[in-house]
Amino acid sequence: MQPKKRTRASHPKVRTGCHTCKARRVKCDEQRPSCLKCLSTGRKCEGYKSNREWIVVVAPPLPVTDGFEDDRSRRHFDYFRSQAVYELSWFFDGDHWGRLILQESHASAAVRHAVIALACSHEDFKDNMTVAAQAPQYAYAAQHYSKAIRNLIKETSDDAHESRLKALMCGLLFISIEILRGNNAAALNHLDGCLKIVREAQARTGMPPLEGNCLESITHLFRDIIPMYARLDVQACVMLGRNPHDTGPGPVMWDLSKKSPTEDLPPPILSFDTTFEALESLFLLGKQVHDFIGEAHSKHKDGRWTCQPRRAGSCSLHQEHHDIHTKKFVLYGQVMQWDHAAQILLNATESSQDYDRIALLKIHHRTMLTLLENSFADGECHLDNSQWAFEDIVNFVTELQDRSNRNDEDSSSDSDSSFTFETSSSQSIDSARSRTTTPLPQARPAIAKKIGRSFLVLDGGIIFSLFWTAVKCRDGILRRRAISLLEQSWQEGVWVGVIQAAIAKRVVEIEEERPYEQSLDLDTVKMALDIREEVRVHNVTSDVDKAGRTAKVTLLKRREYWEELGEEWCESVEWVRW
């Protein structure tokens, strides 16, 4: 029988004894500051301080992202911020629109991808002649373009002002991309869709409740966005190639409290307090003139008055003829009232920037005036009476160009010559106050520098006015000055300065019946009285091929002996290269 093993009594393990007792594996009485167990055996008590080291593991923070997928997208965003954003800030908008785009691009993936796509297109199409097939970054821009559309659908699923704000901002970026690519039809589709959103936003304005976080979006919507779309709506025929006979659901209003510009008797224009009021009034007046010209063309086709079938007792063709002439007379009075009010504003301004703004508005005003004069006219010779308006267009553009060039030179010159621009600015303002029309100076040599800093302006500027002057003003000196200014201009909407200059040169060759020469002696230059009605071009349309640097130009002229031939109009096709 084996002896029974001796076992020790089980006690709970104590971890609070002194270090000496723990090392000896004996029970400590835990007396402080030294235990009695160590003192009774003559040992040094090491105490109770814990020497255990704790390791704290901290989870790494979540990576901070700026929303960009790679360095390439960041580079394109920086390019947009430093250069391309100025294309969206029109002459009257300052930097409000550009700042709004940049702020929203950090919060909205849709706006961010649209900005990157526009920056790529902006770099690719700098020379105005690049086509999509030749664009080196076309595929990368298309990827971000698609991502912008997909994200926009997600971000605008609700019916809120913030959603409309994002949609309209992306819409303007999309329109710019399509114009750079030369896809004018797509740009018009984007514009028409955005105008529907604008009208919907205007219809819902003031409907309760308006929460506090919506007020900022509403402010941006009506202060920064709707005015730009209102201008694009009026200028769509000129800037985006919209068919002038296309009629939409009505113009976009800048301010819903203002009288609609489609009413027959607009209120008289007495004065303006700011240049923005003058701008708003001129564009609303331009919408009226545009609608009237469309109505006049529909009733005065091929130089003959036409009348729709009428009910018994309705007015006669003579009465309709009288009514439309009366409407033209009223519109003409409104246009001249605007010029008088703008001149008063010019006399009161002390700012060179406001002077430049009013000068640009006067360019548009003179263009509008000659367009109104040209409506349902039987011939082209009547425009010779409007030479003063064409003269003002050329002189105002030349003055703006000279002031811009002086500003650029002064900004790069030494500080001791920095006073030159301000002195010349004040002198030009004083001289402008003393005139309503500008005397015709001698022809100037072409200046190599381009007008302005931007190669693409989404809004209307000077190119259409210069082209209209070059083809409709038959004074040889004026039209050559207009062509020279066109060659120095970049791009506004679908209008490219060098292309319009080449087309205008061909029109001048046909009407003057000799090869085009830019510099002519006063003895050999042809004036308006030297250009016969039979050789004058009534209408010009073009189909541009940027890749081949050619344009198919269709010209409409009156036949010389049309009464004997029975056909009044002759259409010809010309091919123009530049």
Side-chain angles (χ1 to χ4, degrees), residues 67-70 72-74 76 109-118 120 138-151 174 177 181:
F68 298 102
E69 299 175 351
D70 48 35
R72 183 178 180 181
S73 60
R74 291 187 188 91
H76 287 303
V111 177
R112 184 164 57 252
H113 286 295
V115 163
I116 296 172
L118 177 56
C120 294
Y138 184 86
Y140 188 77
Q143 292 177 5
H144 283 276
Y145 197 171
S146 300
K147 291 178 181 179
I149 295 175
R150 290 196 298 268
N151 282 278
F174 294 161
I177 293 171
R181 293 178 173 182

PDB file of all heavy atoms in Angstrom, residues 67-70 72-74 76 109-118 120 138-151 174 177 181:
ATOM      1  N   GLY A  67     -11.052  64.421 -51.410  1.00  0.00           N
ATOM      2  CA  GLY A  67     -12.050  64.108 -52.422  1.00  0.00           C
ATOM      3  C   GLY A  67     -11.478  63.818 -53.796  1.00  0.00           C
ATOM      4  O   GLY A  67     -12.217  63.395 -54.684  1.00  0.00           O
ATOM      5  N   PHE A  68     -10.197  64.038 -54.001  1.00  0.00           N
ATOM      6  CA  PHE A  68      -9.580  63.799 -55.303  1.00  0.00           C
ATOM      7  C   PHE A  68      -9.008  62.397 -55.355  1.00  0.00           C
ATOM      8  O   PHE A  68      -8.459  61.893 -54.371  1.00  0.00           O
ATOM      9  CB  PHE A  68      -8.487  64.827 -55.583  1.00  0.00           C
ATOM     10  CG  PHE A  68      -8.996  66.240 -55.635  1.00  0.00           C
ATOM     11  CD1 PHE A  68      -8.816  67.096 -54.569  1.00  0.00           C
ATOM     12  CD2 PHE A  68      -9.680  66.691 -56.743  1.00  0.00           C
ATOM     13  CE1 PHE A  68      -9.288  68.386 -54.609  1.00  0.00           C
ATOM     14  CE2 PHE A  68     -10.160  67.971 -56.805  1.00  0.00           C
ATOM     15  CZ  PHE A  68      -9.970  68.833 -55.730  1.00  0.00           C
ATOM     16  N   GLU A  69      -9.127  61.793 -56.510  1.00  0.00           N
ATOM     17  CA  GLU A  69      -8.740  60.400 -56.657  1.00  0.00           C
ATOM     18  C   GLU A  69      -7.236  60.219 -56.795  1.00  0.00           C
ATOM     19  O   GLU A  69      -6.697  59.202 -56.379  1.00  0.00           O
ATOM     20  CB  GLU A  69      -9.455  59.803 -57.869  1.00  0.00           C
ATOM     21  CG  GLU A  69     -10.982  59.832 -57.749  1.00  0.00           C
ATOM     22  CD  GLU A  69     -11.654  59.350 -59.016  1.00  0.00           C
ATOM     23  OE1 GLU A  69     -10.933  59.160 -60.023  1.00  0.00           O
ATOM     24  OE2 GLU A  69     -12.879  59.156 -59.002  1.00  0.00           O
ATOM     25  N   ASP A  70      -6.563  61.184 -57.389  1.00  0.00           N
ATOM     26  CA  ASP A  70      -5.129  61.057 -57.612  1.00  0.00           C
ATOM     27  C   ASP A  70      -4.530  62.444 -57.782  1.00  0.00           C
ATOM     28  O   ASP A  70      -5.228  63.469 -57.764  1.00  0.00           O
ATOM     29  CB  ASP A  70      -4.843  60.183 -58.840  1.00  0.00           C
ATOM     30  CG  ASP A  70      -5.687  60.589 -60.043  1.00  0.00           C
ATOM     31  OD1 ASP A  70      -5.945  61.811 -60.192  1.00  0.00           O
ATOM     32  OD2 ASP A  70      -6.087  59.710 -60.809  1.00  0.00           O
ATOM     33  N   ARG A  72      -3.239  63.664 -60.408  1.00  0.00           N
ATOM     34  CA  ARG A  72      -3.597  64.270 -61.688  1.00  0.00           C
ATOM     35  C   ARG A  72      -4.872  65.092 -61.556  1.00  0.00           C
ATOM     36  O   ARG A  72      -4.952  66.219 -62.082  1.00  0.00           O
ATOM     37  CB  ARG A  72      -3.782  63.178 -62.747  1.00  0.00           C
ATOM     38  CG  ARG A  72      -4.098  63.733 -64.135  1.00  0.00           C
ATOM     39  CD  ARG A  72      -4.227  62.620 -65.150  1.00  0.00           C
ATOM     40  NE  ARG A  72      -4.518  63.145 -66.476  1.00  0.00           N
ATOM     41  CZ  ARG A  72      -4.712  62.405 -67.560  1.00  0.00           C
ATOM     42  NH1 ARG A  72      -4.614  61.073 -67.475  1.00  0.00           N
ATOM     43  NH2 ARG A  72      -4.970  62.962 -68.727  1.00  0.00           N
ATOM     44  N   SER A  73      -5.859  64.556 -60.849  1.00  0.00           N
ATOM     45  CA  SER A  73      -7.088  65.311 -60.657  1.00  0.00           C
ATOM     46  C   SER A  73      -6.842  66.559 -59.815  1.00  0.00           C
ATOM     47  O   SER A  73      -7.463  67.604 -60.049  1.00  0.00           O
ATOM     48  CB  SER A  73      -8.154  64.430 -60.009  1.00  0.00           C
ATOM     49  OG  SER A  73      -7.721  63.960 -58.746  1.00  0.00           O
ATOM     50  N   ARG A  74      -5.928  66.473 -58.841  1.00  0.00           N
ATOM     51  CA  ARG A  74      -5.582  67.657 -58.047  1.00  0.00           C
ATOM     52  C   ARG A  74      -4.929  68.723 -58.924  1.00  0.00           C
ATOM     53  O   ARG A  74      -5.176  69.922 -58.763  1.00  0.00           O
ATOM     54  CB  ARG A  74      -4.639  67.273 -56.907  1.00  0.00           C
ATOM     55  CG  ARG A  74      -5.279  66.433 -55.814  1.00  0.00           C
ATOM     56  CD  ARG A  74      -4.329  66.227 -54.639  1.00  0.00           C
ATOM     57  NE  ARG A  74      -4.880  65.271 -53.695  1.00  0.00           N
ATOM     58  CZ  ARG A  74      -4.672  63.971 -53.730  1.00  0.00           C
ATOM     59  NH1 ARG A  74      -3.900  63.459 -54.690  1.00  0.00           N
ATOM     60  NH2 ARG A  74      -5.215  63.164 -52.839  1.00  0.00           N
ATOM     61  N   HIS A  76      -5.395  69.204 -62.123  1.00  0.00           N
ATOM     62  CA  HIS A  76      -6.416  69.833 -62.962  1.00  0.00           C
ATOM     63  C   HIS A  76      -7.280  70.794 -62.148  1.00  0.00           C
ATOM     64  O   HIS A  76      -7.677  71.854 -62.658  1.00  0.00           O
ATOM     65  CB  HIS A  76      -7.295  68.763 -63.611  1.00  0.00           C
ATOM     66  CG  HIS A  76      -6.607  68.013 -64.713  1.00  0.00           C
ATOM     67  ND1 HIS A  76      -6.065  68.640 -65.812  1.00  0.00           N
ATOM     68  CD2 HIS A  76      -6.364  66.681 -64.888  1.00  0.00           C
ATOM     69  CE1 HIS A  76      -5.516  67.740 -66.619  1.00  0.00           C
ATOM     70  NE2 HIS A  76      -5.689  66.549 -66.082  1.00  0.00           N
ATOM     71  N   ALA A 109     -19.399  65.961 -55.009  1.00  0.00           N
ATOM     72  CA  ALA A 109     -18.598  65.166 -55.947  1.00  0.00           C
ATOM     73  C   ALA A 109     -18.969  65.488 -57.383  1.00  0.00           C
ATOM     74  O   ALA A 109     -18.112  65.464 -58.277  1.00  0.00           O
ATOM     75  CB  ALA A 109     -18.786  63.677 -55.659  1.00  0.00           C
ATOM     76  N   ALA A 110     -20.242  65.787 -57.629  1.00  0.00           N
ATOM     77  CA  ALA A 110     -20.677  66.100 -58.989  1.00  0.00           C
ATOM     78  C   ALA A 110     -19.985  67.356 -59.504  1.00  0.00           C
ATOM     79  O   ALA A 110     -19.454  67.381 -60.623  1.00  0.00           O
ATOM     80  CB  ALA A 110     -22.197  66.274 -59.020  1.00  0.00           C
ATOM     81  N   VAL A 111     -19.977  68.413 -58.695  1.00  0.00           N
ATOM     82  CA  VAL A 111     -19.322  69.657 -59.109  1.00  0.00           C
ATOM     83  C   VAL A 111     -17.821  69.444 -59.252  1.00  0.00           C
ATOM     84  O   VAL A 111     -17.192  69.956 -60.188  1.00  0.00           O
ATOM     85  CB  VAL A 111     -19.627  70.773 -58.090  1.00  0.00           C
ATOM     86  CG1 VAL A 111     -18.894  72.054 -58.467  1.00  0.00           C
ATOM     87  CG2 VAL A 111     -21.123  71.027 -58.003  1.00  0.00           C
ATOM     88  N   ARG A 112     -17.228  68.669 -58.346  1.00  0.00           N
ATOM     89  CA  ARG A 112     -15.785  68.426 -58.392  1.00  0.00           C
ATOM     90  C   ARG A 112     -15.384  67.713 -59.686  1.00  0.00           C
ATOM     91  O   ARG A 112     -14.413  68.105 -60.347  1.00  0.00           O
ATOM     92  CB  ARG A 112     -15.360  67.608 -57.170  1.00  0.00           C
ATOM     93  CG  ARG A 112     -13.862  67.382 -57.084  1.00  0.00           C
ATOM     94  CD  ARG A 112     -13.467  66.921 -55.692  1.00  0.00           C
ATOM     95  NE  ARG A 112     -14.163  65.705 -55.270  1.00  0.00           N
ATOM     96  CZ  ARG A 112     -15.120  65.673 -54.337  1.00  0.00           C
ATOM     97  NH1 ARG A 112     -15.499  66.787 -53.737  1.00  0.00           N
ATOM     98  NH2 ARG A 112     -15.699  64.527 -53.999  1.00  0.00           N
ATOM     99  N   HIS A 113     -16.104  66.668 -60.045  1.00  0.00           N
ATOM    100  CA  HIS A 113     -15.772  65.945 -61.284  1.00  0.00           C
ATOM    101  C   HIS A 113     -16.029  66.826 -62.514  1.00  0.00           C
ATOM    102  O   HIS A 113     -15.273  66.753 -63.496  1.00  0.00           O
ATOM    103  CB  HIS A 113     -16.598  64.662 -61.371  1.00  0.00           C
ATOM    104  CG  HIS A 113     -16.133  63.580 -60.447  1.00  0.00           C
ATOM    105  ND1 HIS A 113     -14.906  62.968 -60.563  1.00  0.00           N
ATOM    106  CD2 HIS A 113     -16.737  62.999 -59.364  1.00  0.00           C
ATOM    107  CE1 HIS A 113     -14.763  62.054 -59.619  1.00  0.00           C
ATOM    108  NE2 HIS A 113     -15.852  62.058 -58.871  1.00  0.00           N
ATOM    109  N   ALA A 114     -17.072  67.649 -62.468  1.00  0.00           N
ATOM    110  CA  ALA A 114     -17.340  68.550 -63.596  1.00  0.00           C
ATOM    111  C   ALA A 114     -16.225  69.581 -63.736  1.00  0.00           C
ATOM    112  O   ALA A 114     -15.832  69.932 -64.856  1.00  0.00           O
ATOM    113  CB  ALA A 114     -18.685  69.239 -63.395  1.00  0.00           C
ATOM    114  N   VAL A 115     -15.703  70.063 -62.620  1.00  0.00           N
ATOM    115  CA  VAL A 115     -14.593  71.014 -62.654  1.00  0.00           C
ATOM    116  C   VAL A 115     -13.360  70.375 -63.283  1.00  0.00           C
ATOM    117  O   VAL A 115     -12.677  70.987 -64.122  1.00  0.00           O
ATOM    118  CB  VAL A 115     -14.282  71.506 -61.220  1.00  0.00           C
ATOM    119  CG1 VAL A 115     -12.896  72.145 -61.158  1.00  0.00           C
ATOM    120  CG2 VAL A 115     -15.340  72.496 -60.763  1.00  0.00           C
ATOM    121  N   ILE A 116     -13.057  69.138 -62.909  1.00  0.00           N
ATOM    122  CA  ILE A 116     -11.884  68.452 -63.469  1.00  0.00           C
ATOM    123  C   ILE A 116     -12.069  68.232 -64.969  1.00  0.00           C
ATOM    124  O   ILE A 116     -11.130  68.426 -65.761  1.00  0.00           O
ATOM    125  CB  ILE A 116     -11.659  67.118 -62.739  1.00  0.00           C
ATOM    126  CG1 ILE A 116     -11.312  67.372 -61.267  1.00  0.00           C
ATOM    127  CG2 ILE A 116     -10.553  66.310 -63.405  1.00  0.00           C
ATOM    128  CD1 ILE A 116     -11.261  66.121 -60.427  1.00  0.00           C
ATOM    129  N   ALA A 117     -13.281  67.838 -65.384  1.00  0.00           N
ATOM    130  CA  ALA A 117     -13.541  67.630 -66.814  1.00  0.00           C
ATOM    131  C   ALA A 117     -13.384  68.931 -67.595  1.00  0.00           C
ATOM    132  O   ALA A 117     -12.816  68.946 -68.697  1.00  0.00           O
ATOM    133  CB  ALA A 117     -14.943  67.053 -67.010  1.00  0.00           C
ATOM    134  N   LEU A 118     -13.878  70.032 -67.026  1.00  0.00           N
ATOM    135  CA  LEU A 118     -13.744  71.316 -67.707  1.00  0.00           C
ATOM    136  C   LEU A 118     -12.283  71.762 -67.766  1.00  0.00           C
ATOM    137  O   LEU A 118     -11.843  72.312 -68.779  1.00  0.00           O
ATOM    138  CB  LEU A 118     -14.587  72.372 -66.994  1.00  0.00           C
ATOM    139  CG  LEU A 118     -14.497  73.799 -67.562  1.00  0.00           C
ATOM    140  CD1 LEU A 118     -14.863  73.819 -69.041  1.00  0.00           C
ATOM    141  CD2 LEU A 118     -15.392  74.751 -66.782  1.00  0.00           C
ATOM    142  N   CYS A 120      -9.636  69.851 -67.954  1.00  0.00           N
ATOM    143  CA  CYS A 120      -8.987  69.074 -69.032  1.00  0.00           C
ATOM    144  C   CYS A 120      -9.337  69.646 -70.401  1.00  0.00           C
ATOM    145  O   CYS A 120      -8.463  69.829 -71.259  1.00  0.00           O
ATOM    146  CB  CYS A 120      -9.416  67.612 -68.944  1.00  0.00           C
ATOM    147  SG  CYS A 120      -8.850  66.729 -67.481  1.00  0.00           S
ATOM    148  N   TYR A 138      -8.901  63.930 -73.846  1.00  0.00           N
ATOM    149  CA  TYR A 138     -10.328  63.789 -74.073  1.00  0.00           C
ATOM    150  C   TYR A 138     -10.911  62.618 -73.276  1.00  0.00           C
ATOM    151  O   TYR A 138     -11.982  62.740 -72.657  1.00  0.00           O
ATOM    152  CB  TYR A 138     -10.605  63.597 -75.567  1.00  0.00           C
ATOM    153  CG  TYR A 138     -12.073  63.535 -75.914  1.00  0.00           C
ATOM    154  CD1 TYR A 138     -12.793  64.698 -76.145  1.00  0.00           C
ATOM    155  CD2 TYR A 138     -12.746  62.317 -76.012  1.00  0.00           C
ATOM    156  CE1 TYR A 138     -14.134  64.663 -76.461  1.00  0.00           C
ATOM    157  CE2 TYR A 138     -14.085  62.266 -76.324  1.00  0.00           C
ATOM    158  CZ  TYR A 138     -14.778  63.433 -76.556  1.00  0.00           C
ATOM    159  OH  TYR A 138     -16.105  63.388 -76.855  1.00  0.00           O
ATOM    160  N   ALA A 139     -10.215  61.477 -73.261  1.00  0.00           N
ATOM    161  CA  ALA A 139     -10.732  60.294 -72.558  1.00  0.00           C
ATOM    162  C   ALA A 139     -10.799  60.537 -71.056  1.00  0.00           C
ATOM    163  O   ALA A 139     -11.787  60.171 -70.402  1.00  0.00           O
ATOM    164  CB  ALA A 139      -9.855  59.075 -72.871  1.00  0.00           C
ATOM    165  N   TYR A 140      -9.765  61.158 -70.515  1.00  0.00           N
ATOM    166  CA  TYR A 140      -9.762  61.433 -69.064  1.00  0.00           C
ATOM    167  C   TYR A 140     -10.868  62.416 -68.705  1.00  0.00           C
ATOM    168  O   TYR A 140     -11.554  62.252 -67.683  1.00  0.00           O
ATOM    169  CB  TYR A 140      -8.401  61.997 -68.671  1.00  0.00           C
ATOM    170  CG  TYR A 140      -8.204  62.147 -67.185  1.00  0.00           C
ATOM    171  CD1 TYR A 140      -7.928  61.047 -66.382  1.00  0.00           C
ATOM    172  CD2 TYR A 140      -8.287  63.389 -66.579  1.00  0.00           C
ATOM    173  CE1 TYR A 140      -7.733  61.183 -65.004  1.00  0.00           C
ATOM    174  CE2 TYR A 140      -8.103  63.541 -65.210  1.00  0.00           C
ATOM    175  CZ  TYR A 140      -7.833  62.430 -64.435  1.00  0.00           C
ATOM    176  OH  TYR A 140      -7.662  62.577 -63.082  1.00  0.00           O
ATOM    177  N   ALA A 141     -11.072  63.431 -69.549  1.00  0.00           N
ATOM    178  CA  ALA A 141     -12.155  64.388 -69.301  1.00  0.00           C
ATOM    179  C   ALA A 141     -13.518  63.714 -69.399  1.00  0.00           C
ATOM    180  O   ALA A 141     -14.429  64.001 -68.609  1.00  0.00           O
ATOM    181  CB  ALA A 141     -12.057  65.542 -70.299  1.00  0.00           C
ATOM    182  N   ALA A 142     -13.656  62.784 -70.359  1.00  0.00           N
ATOM    183  CA  ALA A 142     -14.931  62.087 -70.514  1.00  0.00           C
ATOM    184  C   ALA A 142     -15.251  61.223 -69.292  1.00  0.00           C
ATOM    185  O   ALA A 142     -16.416  61.105 -68.890  1.00  0.00           O
ATOM    186  CB  ALA A 142     -14.905  61.231 -71.779  1.00  0.00           C
ATOM    187  N   GLN A 143     -14.226  60.621 -68.683  1.00  0.00           N
ATOM    188  CA  GLN A 143     -14.454  59.823 -67.474  1.00  0.00           C
ATOM    189  C   GLN A 143     -15.030  60.683 -66.346  1.00  0.00           C
ATOM    190  O   GLN A 143     -16.006  60.300 -65.699  1.00  0.00           O
ATOM    191  CB  GLN A 143     -13.137  59.179 -67.024  1.00  0.00           C
ATOM    192  CG  GLN A 143     -12.608  58.102 -67.962  1.00  0.00           C
ATOM    193  CD  GLN A 143     -11.264  57.564 -67.508  1.00  0.00           C
ATOM    194  OE1 GLN A 143     -10.766  57.924 -66.438  1.00  0.00           O
ATOM    195  NE2 GLN A 143     -10.668  56.722 -68.335  1.00  0.00           N
ATOM    196  N   HIS A 144     -14.417  61.819 -66.123  1.00  0.00           N
ATOM    197  CA  HIS A 144     -14.915  62.692 -65.051  1.00  0.00           C
ATOM    198  C   HIS A 144     -16.250  63.330 -65.421  1.00  0.00           C
ATOM    199  O   HIS A 144     -17.070  63.610 -64.543  1.00  0.00           O
ATOM    200  CB  HIS A 144     -13.872  63.765 -64.742  1.00  0.00           C
ATOM    201  CG  HIS A 144     -12.718  63.263 -63.931  1.00  0.00           C
ATOM    202  ND1 HIS A 144     -12.755  63.179 -62.554  1.00  0.00           N
ATOM    203  CD2 HIS A 144     -11.496  62.794 -64.300  1.00  0.00           C
ATOM    204  CE1 HIS A 144     -11.609  62.694 -62.109  1.00  0.00           C
ATOM    205  NE2 HIS A 144     -10.825  62.448 -63.151  1.00  0.00           N
ATOM    206  N   TYR A 145     -16.465  63.563 -66.698  1.00  0.00           N
ATOM    207  CA  TYR A 145     -17.768  64.070 -67.168  1.00  0.00           C
ATOM    208  C   TYR A 145     -18.864  63.064 -66.808  1.00  0.00           C
ATOM    209  O   TYR A 145     -19.923  63.440 -66.257  1.00  0.00           O
ATOM    210  CB  TYR A 145     -17.686  64.281 -68.675  1.00  0.00           C
ATOM    211  CG  TYR A 145     -18.765  65.146 -69.278  1.00  0.00           C
ATOM    212  CD1 TYR A 145     -18.685  65.563 -70.599  1.00  0.00           C
ATOM    213  CD2 TYR A 145     -19.873  65.555 -68.556  1.00  0.00           C
ATOM    214  CE1 TYR A 145     -19.647  66.360 -71.179  1.00  0.00           C
ATOM    215  CE2 TYR A 145     -20.847  66.350 -69.122  1.00  0.00           C
ATOM    216  CZ  TYR A 145     -20.731  66.746 -70.428  1.00  0.00           C
ATOM    217  OH  TYR A 145     -21.698  67.528 -71.001  1.00  0.00           O
ATOM    218  N   SER A 146     -18.611  61.784 -67.076  1.00  0.00           N
ATOM    219  CA  SER A 146     -19.596  60.743 -66.751  1.00  0.00           C
ATOM    220  C   SER A 146     -19.795  60.627 -65.240  1.00  0.00           C
ATOM    221  O   SER A 146     -20.923  60.473 -64.758  1.00  0.00           O
ATOM    222  CB  SER A 146     -19.148  59.406 -67.336  1.00  0.00           C
ATOM    223  OG  SER A 146     -19.008  59.467 -68.740  1.00  0.00           O
ATOM    224  N   LYS A 147     -18.700  60.703 -64.472  1.00  0.00           N
ATOM    225  CA  LYS A 147     -18.821  60.635 -63.014  1.00  0.00           C
ATOM    226  C   LYS A 147     -19.613  61.824 -62.475  1.00  0.00           C
ATOM    227  O   LYS A 147     -20.389  61.687 -61.514  1.00  0.00           O
ATOM    228  CB  LYS A 147     -17.440  60.593 -62.376  1.00  0.00           C
ATOM    229  CG  LYS A 147     -16.663  59.297 -62.632  1.00  0.00           C
ATOM    230  CD  LYS A 147     -15.282  59.348 -62.002  1.00  0.00           C
ATOM    231  CE  LYS A 147     -14.513  58.061 -62.277  1.00  0.00           C
ATOM    232  NZ  LYS A 147     -13.147  58.088 -61.695  1.00  0.00           N
ATOM    233  N   ALA A 148     -19.422  62.977 -63.076  1.00  0.00           N
ATOM    234  CA  ALA A 148     -20.178  64.151 -62.639  1.00  0.00           C
ATOM    235  C   ALA A 148     -21.670  63.948 -62.849  1.00  0.00           C
ATOM    236  O   ALA A 148     -22.483  64.296 -61.979  1.00  0.00           O
ATOM    237  CB  ALA A 148     -19.692  65.393 -63.391  1.00  0.00           C
ATOM    238  N   ILE A 149     -22.049  63.375 -63.983  1.00  0.00           N
ATOM    239  CA  ILE A 149     -23.475  63.150 -64.260  1.00  0.00           C
ATOM    240  C   ILE A 149     -24.050  62.121 -63.296  1.00  0.00           C
ATOM    241  O   ILE A 149     -25.148  62.302 -62.746  1.00  0.00           O
ATOM    242  CB  ILE A 149     -23.655  62.710 -65.726  1.00  0.00           C
ATOM    243  CG1 ILE A 149     -23.245  63.845 -66.678  1.00  0.00           C
ATOM    244  CG2 ILE A 149     -25.094  62.291 -65.986  1.00  0.00           C
ATOM    245  CD1 ILE A 149     -23.275  63.465 -68.129  1.00  0.00           C
ATOM    246  N   ARG A 150     -23.313  61.035 -63.052  1.00  0.00           N
ATOM    247  CA  ARG A 150     -23.809  60.003 -62.131  1.00  0.00           C
ATOM    248  C   ARG A 150     -23.962  60.560 -60.716  1.00  0.00           C
ATOM    249  O   ARG A 150     -24.979  60.305 -60.039  1.00  0.00           O
ATOM    250  CB  ARG A 150     -22.868  58.799 -62.136  1.00  0.00           C
ATOM    251  CG  ARG A 150     -22.895  57.991 -63.430  1.00  0.00           C
ATOM    252  CD  ARG A 150     -22.264  56.621 -63.218  1.00  0.00           C
ATOM    253  NE  ARG A 150     -20.857  56.728 -62.831  1.00  0.00           N
ATOM    254  CZ  ARG A 150     -19.851  56.722 -63.700  1.00  0.00           C
ATOM    255  NH1 ARG A 150     -20.096  56.628 -64.995  1.00  0.00           N
ATOM    256  NH2 ARG A 150     -18.599  56.794 -63.272  1.00  0.00           N
ATOM    257  N   ASN A 151     -22.983  61.299 -60.243  1.00  0.00           N
ATOM    258  CA  ASN A 151     -23.071  61.864 -58.901  1.00  0.00           C
ATOM    259  C   ASN A 151     -24.149  62.937 -58.812  1.00  0.00           C
ATOM    260  O   ASN A 151     -24.788  63.090 -57.765  1.00  0.00           O
ATOM    261  CB  ASN A 151     -21.721  62.455 -58.483  1.00  0.00           C
ATOM    262  CG  ASN A 151     -20.734  61.398 -58.042  1.00  0.00           C
ATOM    263  OD1 ASN A 151     -20.754  60.939 -56.905  1.00  0.00           O
ATOM    264  ND2 ASN A 151     -19.860  60.995 -58.947  1.00  0.00           N
ATOM    265  N   PHE A 174     -21.135  72.035 -67.692  1.00  0.00           N
ATOM    266  CA  PHE A 174     -21.373  71.155 -68.849  1.00  0.00           C
ATOM    267  C   PHE A 174     -21.484  71.965 -70.138  1.00  0.00           C
ATOM    268  O   PHE A 174     -20.971  71.557 -71.195  1.00  0.00           O
ATOM    269  CB  PHE A 174     -22.651  70.350 -68.630  1.00  0.00           C
ATOM    270  CG  PHE A 174     -22.575  69.361 -67.492  1.00  0.00           C
ATOM    271  CD1 PHE A 174     -23.729  68.846 -66.908  1.00  0.00           C
ATOM    272  CD2 PHE A 174     -21.356  68.956 -66.995  1.00  0.00           C
ATOM    273  CE1 PHE A 174     -23.663  67.940 -65.862  1.00  0.00           C
ATOM    274  CE2 PHE A 174     -21.270  68.050 -65.945  1.00  0.00           C
ATOM    275  CZ  PHE A 174     -22.436  67.547 -65.381  1.00  0.00           C
ATOM    276  N   ILE A 177     -18.061  72.905 -71.278  1.00  0.00           N
ATOM    277  CA  ILE A 177     -17.336  71.764 -71.848  1.00  0.00           C
ATOM    278  C   ILE A 177     -17.779  71.512 -73.282  1.00  0.00           C
ATOM    279  O   ILE A 177     -16.953  71.318 -74.192  1.00  0.00           O
ATOM    280  CB  ILE A 177     -17.548  70.514 -70.979  1.00  0.00           C
ATOM    281  CG1 ILE A 177     -16.887  70.687 -69.605  1.00  0.00           C
ATOM    282  CG2 ILE A 177     -16.993  69.268 -71.673  1.00  0.00           C
ATOM    283  CD1 ILE A 177     -17.230  69.581 -68.625  1.00  0.00           C
ATOM    284  N   ARG A 181     -15.687  71.734 -76.871  1.00  0.00           N
ATOM    285  CA  ARG A 181     -15.591  70.594 -77.782  1.00  0.00           C
ATOM    286  C   ARG A 181     -16.187  70.876 -79.144  1.00  0.00           C
ATOM    287  O   ARG A 181     -16.019  70.091 -80.075  1.00  0.00           O
ATOM    288  CB  ARG A 181     -16.297  69.384 -77.166  1.00  0.00           C
ATOM    289  CG  ARG A 181     -15.627  68.824 -75.929  1.00  0.00           C
ATOM    290  CD  ARG A 181     -16.426  67.671 -75.368  1.00  0.00           C
ATOM    291  NE  ARG A 181     -15.749  66.981 -74.278  1.00  0.00           N
ATOM    292  CZ  ARG A 181     -16.237  65.921 -73.644  1.00  0.00           C
ATOM    293  NH1 ARG A 181     -17.423  65.436 -74.007  1.00  0.00           N
ATOM    294  NH2 ARG A 181     -15.568  65.359 -72.670  1.00  0.00           N
TER     295      ARG A 181
END
